[in-house]
């Protein structure tokens, strides 16, 4: 065998991605069992709460978005349009086609110039500060943007990247793949998973003591898996730190429309605060900032379409050229994903024929998410030894669990971390697939799991969690 | 500035991608000039012959394909279908949706199981040997598959990858990005760019002498940029060599339906020959083979949709697991691209309502390509000091040019390679954008350029080449 596991790139072996890790593989297996024999388990189906995949659960796509995409895919429909299509949808598709030509052609590697202009307009309007289309790179979701930036900074084996813990494991995985040193900084669970600049400074100092050279500071707001939303002042402090310490900031803001306004701060973008700081002190213009957005999250939930963008500011123009070269080696992001990005940054406006349906669908999705989030949150906090921070946004809860000593022993026997054991038992007994906290990172001697709150199921889902937990605690007490 | 060019990953600096390199950037600039002032140059428009991008030129998408995609994007169209949609198209969309759910959901990271089954059926039928859906990974075009395999083998700084010269620069670029050593082996221009096993052996021996450890052997058939089609016996010899030398083979077969049957061999897949060899000698089952296909090329030309697949055989199952993990970090290939892959491997059949239109469109595209290829080929061979091998397939010609000494001097003054100078002059004088041979690699003291033969223009295009060349030769003689 020419290529054995022992012979391949060790960076790949080191990379871990728990969201689709052993728990998810076991869940796929059980799903197959159930297809063959619906009575093979104590439940009828697997509930995939391991991944924020709204349309795999019961979220419907937005009518406006899908209409535009179907029209640009098959422009013949524009000639004798079905009464299904409102006028503004038809016009939108026509305008897009004028700028795109065919969605089957490779586009500009940074994305279609017209769509990048629309993204820049969206950012300007959102922040009250200008954005330059030349600083915008359309991407396949946010993941492909992250891997480019991670690769860009990984100049040698001393380079480090600062990442919150708990984190979305894309960051640890791409750090491993590109050969940089992962430097975790702890979020403050008791303060609703707040980002503490002192914690970042501590990790920074420890890393330097170990000869690591931190280059990148990753921040996720609203947080994944925590849902925590950063406030203006916190962002200022982070950018000030970045300036002092010569760090480039990656602001993962893919959940920017998933915020529970009743009790969370409004979304504030890093780009806005960066622009404010630049206005106060022009030397901030040299603080590198990469902001990520995606069509996969928010109320769009168009994960499978692979749309998104990154905005890159404070960067040496020569580095931008290198980013462009990297994009060109991949040819271009999916053009349909680019189209969906355009509909995200330029949705129907009040008065447009599509607006009413669009607004209704959007509001229904957002209020359902909120309901489900609050219901699960309350459920978890009723469970013995479980503590869950109040969700502020994003799509996940990250409850802290305590398991009895006997369960820890049993986990060790099965060669599993205690939280992985808990999650595996949950899966085997209820069909619910969550991800153990160890996949995201957690403070020593704490245990968690991540679950999306996207799933329908209401009472039944809550009861499944409660009953399993009761039985688990009874069994191992 | 936190991130300067000098501080970034040197592998990125080393990567080159000429197809979208300086010539293409200059062409984009000229295009912008012409948009501002149509009289700014001696021509009215830029002709992008630097990239195989059929639908950017005048190729129309296949009706069947786009109908299916528009239906799966907006399933409401299935409820009261427009008379535009034939019955089999509607049924196809329904079947796909049954297996996919929503195209907006993340799919299985290897691709939708049903579509992988269809790919396996296609391969079995094409080759007469079985294919296993578990060995198939759907991908975003072929590029993302190449970068995974290149990354997989790059275990240390001694690893080498054998690549034909001239090559498609994705291979040199991803070798540079992943830090392996690029080992070129020369194709035999006089023999119609044939692949010569002796040339591979020579490069292999030279590499080993230099302490390089070759792991991967890339073969492109039909060739890019050469169009050369490998025959059964040549493939056998390559696979035998791979076995002897413990190399994993990457067979880039994305142009498998672009073959001029009148004078080229039929397409033979590496997988078929591998299967035949395995039947004769079971030890071939340990020869790793990665075969690539794409929806971007062929008569589909759906570049912007980013569809494709790789089939991986002869590989340690643990290595397959690692490939799966890498795919899962990227979440999933674009689902629309997956759908298009399904329509490619499972097109309408005789008797289906869509069949006639499908076959007519397919045949028209293929015969147009052939016509254009032959016309350009004949044009080039009429030009002084230009020699072009007869095209057998793919989408490009790679003529060899000789330029006068004075042109070489002028090129040096402008800090350009002589072929880059020739291509730059061509662009500035005619608006035609080709890629200099140096971007693909060529034997020392030879000069070439690559052009697609996809463009319309007929006589006018031929005349533009001929007149420019005459004037160039006159000026520098």
């Amino acid at each position: 065998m020419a290529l054995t596991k022992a012979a391949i790139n060790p960076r790949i072996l080191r990379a871990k991605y728990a969201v689709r890790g052993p728990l998810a593989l076991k869940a796929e297996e059980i799903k197959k069992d159930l297809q063959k024999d619906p009575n093979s388990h104590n439940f009828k189906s697997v509930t995939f709460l391991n991944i924020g995949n709204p349309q795999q659960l019961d979220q419907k796509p937005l009518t406006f978005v899908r209409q535009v995409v179907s029209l640009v895919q098959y422009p013949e429909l524009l000639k004798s349009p079905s009464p299904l299509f409102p006028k503004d949808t038809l016009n939108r598709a026509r305008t897009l086609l004028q700028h795109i030509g065919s969605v089957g052609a490779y586009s500009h590697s940074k994305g279609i110039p017209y769509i990048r202009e629309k993204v820049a307009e969206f950012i300007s309007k959102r922040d009250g500060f200008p954005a330059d289309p030349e600083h915008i790179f359309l991407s396949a979701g946010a993941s492909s943007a992250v891997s480019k930036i991670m690769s860009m900074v990984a100049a040698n084996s001393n380079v480090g990247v600062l990442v919150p813990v708990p984190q979305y494991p894309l960051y640890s995985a791409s750090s491993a793949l590109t050969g940089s040193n992962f430097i975790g900084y702890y979020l403050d669970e008791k303060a609703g998973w707040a980002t503490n600049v002192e914690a970042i400074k501590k990790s920074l100092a420890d890393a330097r003591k170990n000869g690591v050279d931190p280059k990148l500071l990753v921040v996720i707001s609203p947080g994944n898996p925590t849902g925590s939303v950063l406030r203006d002042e916190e962002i200022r402090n982070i950018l000030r730190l970045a300036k002092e310490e010569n760090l480039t900031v990656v602001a993962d803001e893919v959940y920017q429309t998933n915020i529970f306004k009743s009790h969370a701060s409004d979304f504030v973008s890093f780009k806005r605060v960066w622009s404010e700081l630049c206005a106060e002190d022009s030397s901030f213009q040299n603080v590198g900032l990469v902001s990520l957005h995606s069509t996969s999250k928010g109320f769009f939930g168009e994960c499978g379409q692979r749309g998104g963008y990154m905005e890159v500011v404070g960067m040496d123009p020569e580095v931008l050229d290198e980013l462009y070269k990297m994009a060109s080696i991949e040819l271009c992001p999916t053009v349909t994903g680019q189209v969906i990005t355009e509909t995200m940054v330029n949705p129907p406006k009040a008065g447009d024929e599509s607006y009413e349906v669009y607004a209704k669908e959007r509001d229904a999705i957002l209020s359902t998410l909120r309901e489900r989030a609050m219901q699960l949150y309350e459920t978890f906090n009723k469970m013995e030894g479980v503590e869950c921070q109040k969700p502020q946004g994003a799509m996940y809860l990250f409850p802290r669990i305590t398991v009895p000593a006997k369960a820890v022993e049993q986990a060790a026997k099965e060669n599993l971390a205690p939280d992985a054991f808990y999650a595996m038992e949950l899966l085997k007994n209820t069909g619910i697939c969550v991800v153990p906290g160890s996949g995201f990172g957690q403070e020593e001697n704490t245990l968690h799991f991540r679950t999306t709150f996207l799933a329908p199921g209401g009472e039944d889902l809550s009861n499944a969690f409660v009953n399993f937990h009761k039985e688990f605690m009874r069994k191992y007490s």
Side-chain angles (χ1 to χ4, degrees), chain A residues 303-447:
Chain A
C303 308
Q305 311 261 19
R306 316 306 294 123
Y309 72 82
M310 64 173 163
E311 186 189 16
V312 186
V313 295
M315 200 76 84
D316 190 335
E318 288 186 320
V319 174
L320 282 180
D321 289 346
E322 295 298 315
L323 266 177
Y324 179 26
K325 183 177 74 185
M326 288 178 86
S328 76
I329 294 170
E330 293 174 9
L331 297 158
C332 73
T334 309
V335 178
T336 307
Q338 298 186 41
V339 167
I340 294 180
T341 303
E342 198 275 344
T343 63
M344 176 177 78
V345 298
N346 185 23
K349 285 169 196 58
D352 292 348
E353 202 179 326
S354 289
Y355 181 72
E356 217 172 301
V357 170
Y358 173 81
K360 212 176 109 188
E361 291 174 345
R362 175 195 64 198
D363 296 346
I365 291 169
L366 290 173
S367 75
T368 303
L369 284 185
R370 189 180 193 291
E371 241 165 63
R372 289 177 181 173
M374 298 315 285
Q375 181 169 18
L376 265 188
Y377 156 68
E378 281 157 19
T379 300
F380 290 147
N381 276 333
K382 273 186 235 153
M383 284 156 50
E384 182 195 346
V386 175
E387 204 181 329
C388 185
Q389 298 300 309
K390 191 166 182 183
Q392 298 175 48
M395 291 183 172
Y396 316 96
L397 296 176
F398 196 64
R400 179 169 174 169
I401 55 177
T402 328
V403 305
K406 262 175 55 192
V408 177
E409 278 165 36
Q410 185 58 31
K413 274 185 207 155
E414 300 190 16
N415 212 6
L416 288 171
D419 51 1
F421 174 67
Y422 181 90
M424 193 61 95
E425 290 294 301
L426 176 69
L427 174 63
K428 287 179 182 168
N429 286 284
T430 64
I432 297 173
C433 180
V434 299
V435 190
S438 43
F440 306 88
Q442 50 199 350
E443 283 200 68
E444 240 180 297
N445 302 318
T446 70
L447 300 173

Side-chain angles (χ1 to χ4, degrees), chain A residues 27-42:
Chain A
E28 287 288 349
E29 225 176 78
I30 294 177
K31 189 178 156 191
K32 276 187 196 162
D33 292 350
L34 288 167
Q35 277 162 353
K36 277 184 215 147
D37 174 8
N39 298 317
S40 54
H41 293 266
N42 291 334

Side-chain angles (χ1 to χ4, degrees), chain A residues 54-56 59-74 77 85-86 89 93 295 300-305 336 339-340 343 358 361:
Chain A
Q55 296 186 24
Q56 185 195 37
Q59 188 172 311
K60 296 274 166 297
L62 297 164
T63 301
F64 171 75
V65 174
R66 293 303 191 84
Q67 286 183 334
V68 171
V69 179
S70 71
L71 290 166
V72 298
Q73 282 282 359
Y74 186 47
L77 290 170
F85 296 106
T89 311
T295 59
F300 266 58
E302 292 281 8
C303 308
Q305 311 261 19
T336 307
V339 167
I340 294 180
T343 63
Y358 173 81
E361 291 174 345

Side-chain angles (χ1 to χ4, degrees), chain A residues 108-152:
Chain A
H108 191 291
S109 298
K110 287 167 79 168
I112 291 147
Y114 172 78
I115 298 180
R116 284 188 281 130
E117 280 165 28
K118 289 290 157 189
V119 172
E121 283 171 24
F122 159 79
I123 295 170
S124 316
K125 215 180 286 173
R126 182 194 65 189
D127 294 343
F129 289 94
D132 181 346
E134 287 308 311
H135 293 164
I136 288 157
F137 291 72
L138 302 186
S139 60
S143 314
S144 79
V146 169
S147 87
K148 279 194 197 69
I149 294 296
M150 285 285 199
S151 172
M152 188 67 81

